[in-house]
Amino acid sequence: MSAANDRQSGSSGIHLGRRALVLGATATAAGLAFPGTAQAATFGYTDDGTNYVIDTGANLVFKVRKSNGDLSSLVYRGTEYQGYGGMNSHIESGLGSSTVTIKQSGSTILVSVTYGTLKHYYAARSGENNVYLWTNKADTSVSATRFILRVKAGLFLNDEPDSYTYTNSTIEASDVFAKSDGQTRSKHYSKLRVIDYDYIGWKTGSVGLYVVRSNHEKASGGPFYRSLLRHQSADGGGLYEILYYGQNQTEDQRFGLQGPYVIAFTDGGAPSSSLFPGTLTTPWADSLGISGYVAAGGRGKVAGVGITGRNTAYPYTVGIANSAAQYWGSARSSDGFFSIGGVLPGSYTLTVFKGELAVYTTSVSVSAGGTTTLNSIAIPSSNDPSNASAIWRINDWNGTPSGFKNADLMTYAHPSDVRAAAWTGNVVIGSGSETSGFPCYLWKDVNSGLLVYFKLTAAQAAAAHTLRIGVTTAYANGRPQVVVNGNWTSPIPSPPTQPNTRSLTNGSYRGNNNTFTYNVPASAWLTDTSQYNVLKINVVSGSGTTSYLSAGTAIDALDLLS
């Protein structure tokens, strides 16, 4: 990777394709165009010596730098959109010297970029205001974990949750900022999971600029993963397609071809749904020679007739994954029917999620051109922790902190944000505010020692009980140790496997769900039924630093079983 490439200035929006006459059969076949009298745009490409200049024959002209494969210009209706801070759009922070070639096949133009084992592609279709992109990362020898579309400042309103300016103060690392009013901003605060969006971008009353994501079959983290999607700052904005993201990542990196993902211009509306993952079809790309490309005929499908044993208050998602690919689909609310298409052949682990909590797994095989049909899946009652009889329960088990204090805000703000309610505060079972008053995150240096007050009947106090605390992720091995009535302290539990990066401060609670169980003896309870028992929850760890970067964990639910 070359920092110098990251600083290259994008080319101007001047091009020959808008004012061109294509002369002769040879010139047409080569995609050459020559200056002439003004006329309608002509689909084709030119070579200006530094860039390949592609005119889609609609309202879009873009340039690809011949030396390194950067997207150096993006002109829509005569306005240049590419570039901020003197930087081009590109894979990662820009490639070094690359082999860049171009060819036209009928109504498609394909630019191929080769940098070591990495192959990257841009495609244009006649009459479309879209740029189709594929990226094939074969191994770890090349760092290529994202494509970033760098957009000039001043073209779109800077008002998104991830917006910031460099006059804001930095409060964490070099990527989390505080505004003068106490609100926080970061490129990490996307607010969305992968399953929640098909595209990201900006629009005015007359122009929309979007990146439509790929199906993420070679990405990692599953349907509920959160990563940076876009950012806006004083000198422009960035739209991302994340090929692999290490922040709070739960899976190893997958390799192979990802795409197509699409840069799409509109006249102010949303991009066409025909470009969305799961909807987009590209038979026109079947014969282009894209490395790693598998046409529709080489893929299969998984379908399930239904899922029983569901809690219909929650959405259910079915995911299939192996070390090479991942896919998912929503289960129909009425009966649990699901269908997942476009799957590469292979054997997969199929997981059914209640919300974001895995409640069923099995194996499934997929063959090219075939449909694997599954009979109705029955989720055993014991697989859903919500089905266990409890003396009391705070929140319900769904694999997320949703419902707890500050939970919604934490997907797009730092815990220190002025909008956050106090992270302290004890709760009383039976008050009606147990869940809303319980913080979604607990940290060793912020709110460790939170208290839960509850009463037991004489029969309940005479028996041992199991206490469960479910978590969705942890930072720096933070995990709960409990004390009951000051006279019984649980052993320190072993830390479960969790991501080793920041999580709770960069907009993500998604890690590996884990349930801690504590066998509380009858001798720990108060025998006076008029008094409140007191459960103290401490966060323990030998890692972490201070404040919101001290060891911490995100809570899913907690209950005392009867």
Side-chain angles (χ1 to χ4, degrees):
M1 308 297 288
S2 170
N5 287 325
D6 198 37
R7 294 191 295 270
Q8 287 182 356
S9 176
S11 302
S12 71
I14 300 173
H15 53 85
L16 298 177
R18 290 274 181 197
R19 296 167 55 84
L21 290 174
V22 179
L23 304 179
T26 301
T28 301
L32 300 177
F34 300 91
T37 57
Q39 58 178 287
T42 302
F43 178 71
Y45 70 88
T46 60
D47 181 343
D48 69 6
T50 302
N51 307 278
Y52 290 120
V53 184
I54 298 97
D55 193 323
T56 66
N59 296 299
L60 176 63
V61 179
F62 65 95
K63 297 181 181 181
V64 178
R65 193 174 292 275
K66 294 165 59 180
S67 61
N68 59 12
D70 282 2
L71 183 64
S72 56
S73 177
L74 194 64
V75 175
Y76 179 69
R77 294 192 179 276
T79 298
E80 175 68 80
Y81 284 83
Q82 146 52 40
Y84 70 79
M87 294 179 283
N88 293 327
S89 300
H90 39 53
I91 285 291
E92 200 58 27
S93 294
L95 302 176
S97 179
S98 305
T99 300
V100 183
T101 60
I102 191 168
K103 69 176 181 180
Q104 182 170 340
S105 302
S107 59
T108 301
I109 294 171
L110 181 71
V111 179
S112 303
V113 182
T114 301
Y115 178 78
T117 60
L118 176 74
K119 297 184 183 297
H120 180 64
Y121 303 91
Y122 302 90
R125 296 278 291 161
S126 178
E128 296 186 11
N129 294 315
N130 304 319
V131 183
Y132 298 86
L133 302 94
W134 288 263
T135 304
N136 189 331
K137 183 180 180 181
D139 51 45
T140 59
S141 65
V142 179
S143 177
T145 58
R146 66 175 184 180
F147 182 87
I148 177 170
L149 177 63
R150 301 185 184 274
V151 182
K152 292 174 64 175
L155 297 173
F156 300 99
L157 188 63
N158 187 13
D159 65 344
E160 300 295 337
D162 50 9
S163 303
Y164 59 90
T165 68
Y166 294 121
T167 58
N168 299 154
S169 60
T170 303
I171 60 173
E172 185 177 295
S174 58
D175 55 12
V176 183
F177 306 92
K179 295 172 60 179
S180 59
D181 63 2
Q183 292 191 16
T184 54
R185 297 287 189 269
S186 174
K187 63 183 180 181
H188 299 291
Y189 297 154
S190 64
K191 200 174 184 178
L192 302 174
R193 307 168 301 173
V194 177
I195 197 173
D196 295 329
Y197 74 96
D198 294 311
Y199 59 90
I200 45 96
W202 303 294
K203 66 179 180 178
T204 67
S206 58
V207 175
L209 172 55
Y210 303 95
V211 169
V212 183
R213 72 168 174 86
S214 68
N215 68 351
H216 280 216
E217 70 179 359
K218 296 292 185 178
S220 299
F224 313 123
Y225 188 65
R226 297 174 189 268
S227 66
L228 60 99
L229 301 180
R230 64 185 174 192
H231 77 268
Q232 288 178 287
S233 59
D235 61 353
L239 300 176
Y240 298 88
E241 168 70 343
I242 298 298
L243 309 177
Y244 176 78
Y245 195 54
Q247 289 278 1
N248 214 36
Q249 181 57 253
T250 58
E251 295 184 303
D252 291 335
Q253 185 170 183
R254 294 182 172 94
F255 299 104
L257 185 70
Q258 298 204 59
Y261 48 104
V262 187
I263 300 171
F265 279 95
T266 73
D267 289 335
S272 170
S273 60
S274 64
L275 301 176
F276 293 176
T279 303
L280 177 62
T281 58
T282 55
W284 49 267
D286 291 358
S287 60
L288 294 179
I290 295 173
S291 175
Y293 183 91
V294 179
R299 297 170 177 270
K301 183 178 181 180
V302 176
V305 299
I307 302 173
T308 61
R310 293 174 298 119
N311 181 336
T312 56
Y314 292 95
Y316 280 70
T317 302
V318 179
I320 63 171
N322 59 23
S323 61
Q326 60 171 8
Y327 308 90
W328 56 80
S330 297
R332 192 161 60 194
S333 59
S334 59
D335 55 10
F337 169 84
F338 63 90
S339 179
I340 305 171
V343 178
L344 293 172
S347 296
Y348 294 86
T349 296
L350 180 149
T351 305
V352 178
F353 298 92
K354 168 198 173 186
E356 296 183 17
L357 184 66
V359 292
Y360 181 86
T361 60
T362 189
S363 298
V364 64
S365 294
V366 180
S367 59
T371 297
T372 301
T373 302
L374 303 177
N375 293 325
S376 184
I377 292 174
I379 301 173
S381 177
S382 59
N383 284 21
D384 184 346
S386 297
N387 292 331
S389 178
I391 296 171
W392 54 259
R393 177 170 291 139
I394 303 178
N395 213 1
D396 196 11
W397 297 82
N398 63 12
T400 82
S402 178
F404 282 128
K405 186 197 294 186
N406 295 326
D408 291 341
L409 179 66
M410 287 302 96
T411 62
Y412 62 96
H414 190 269
S416 65
D417 195 289
V418 68
R419 293 168 291 180
W423 286 103
T424 55
N426 304 321
V427 298
V428 179
I429 300 299
S431 65
S433 59
E434 301 96 321
T435 299
S436 61
F438 195 102
C440 63
Y441 298 162
L442 300 178
W443 289 272
K444 184 177 180 180
D445 198 38
V446 176
N447 55 354
S448 181
L450 185 139
L451 304 179
V452 178
Y453 296 89
F454 59 96
K455 291 182 178 180
L456 297 176
T457 66
Q460 291 167 344
H465 297 289
T466 297
L467 173 73
R468 303 186 300 183
I469 300 178
V471 303
T472 67
T473 195
Y475 176 69
N477 286 330
R479 64 255 194 218
Q481 183 186 36
V482 301
V483 180
V484 177
N485 292 321
N487 61 27
W488 182 84
T489 301
S490 74
I492 296 176
S494 299
T497 299
Q498 294 289 4
N500 59 6
T501 63
R502 286 180 299 160
S503 53
L504 308 181
T505 59
N506 69 359
S508 178
Y509 58 77
R510 176 76 276 124
N512 293 312
N513 286 95
N514 184 75
T515 301
F516 295 95
T517 59
Y518 310 86
N519 298 314
V520 185
S523 58
W525 312 122
L526 300 180
T527 56
D528 185 345
T529 58
S530 66
Q531 292 185 322
Y532 281 101
N533 289 270
V534 182
L535 170 68
K536 184 178 183 180
I537 304 173
N538 295 318
V539 177
V540 295
S541 175
S543 304
T545 57
T546 60
S547 188
Y548 299 109
L549 290 179
S550 64
T553 190
I555 307 299
D556 176 13
L558 59 160
D559 54 23
L560 185 67
L561 300 186
S562 60

